[in-house]
Amino acid sequence: VDNSVGSRKHSFEAVCAADLAHQIAAVAGPSSIGVLSWYRAQVAAITEELKKHSSGIHVGSVATAQGSEWDYVLLSTVRRGGNATKGPLGF
């Protein structure tokens, strides 16, 4: 949880989403892909990762993407399973 914005993020997933988006953009072009998440902190984390590659890939929240169109959309859900110490969804 990113307490500064009251939002959730998963840093490793942000790295993976940014990497996959960059790979797709290399083939399809940066304007053809959007990376979305429900959480502002996750949007910020993915944006920071993509800045390392200076890409023109759209990153935003699901709510603000209404009406937008891309050929490819990555959805970063933040939550993950498989961690018994933090519950079934990783929190």
Side-chain angles (χ1 to χ4, degrees), residues 16 22 29 39 57 64 86 89:
C16 291
H22 210 47
Y39 299 99
I57 297 169
T64 60
K86 292 187 176 184
L89 292 177

Side-chain angles (χ1 to χ4, degrees), residues 6 10 17-18 26 31 38 40 44 47-48 54 60-61 71-72 81 83 85-86 88-89:
H10 188 284
S31 63
W38 284 283
R40 291 176 300 202
T47 300
E48 285 302 311
S54 65
S61 71
D71 294 327
Y72 304 93
N83 187 342
T85 63
K86 292 187 176 184
L89 292 177

Side-chain angles (χ1 to χ4, degrees), residues 5-79:
V5 293
S7 185
R8 297 201 180 266
K9 72 176 180 178
H10 188 284
S11 298
F12 182 68
E13 184 178 299
V15 170
C16 291
D19 185 49
L20 182 57
H22 210 47
Q23 290 177 39
I24 294 169
V27 175
S31 63
S32 67
I33 184 166
V35 183
L36 306 177
S37 180
W38 284 283
Y39 299 99
R40 291 176 300 202
Q42 189 71 358
V43 168
I46 295 167
T47 300
E48 285 302 311
E49 287 299 319
L50 285 173
K51 281 183 183 178
K52 295 176 183 177
H53 304 286
S54 65
S55 69
I57 297 169
H58 174 84
V59 182
S61 71
V62 171
T64 60
Q66 185 175 356
S68 299
E69 293 184 18
W70 300 278
D71 294 327
Y72 304 93
V73 176
L74 297 178
L75 179 62
S76 177
T77 61
V78 177
R79 297 183 179 205

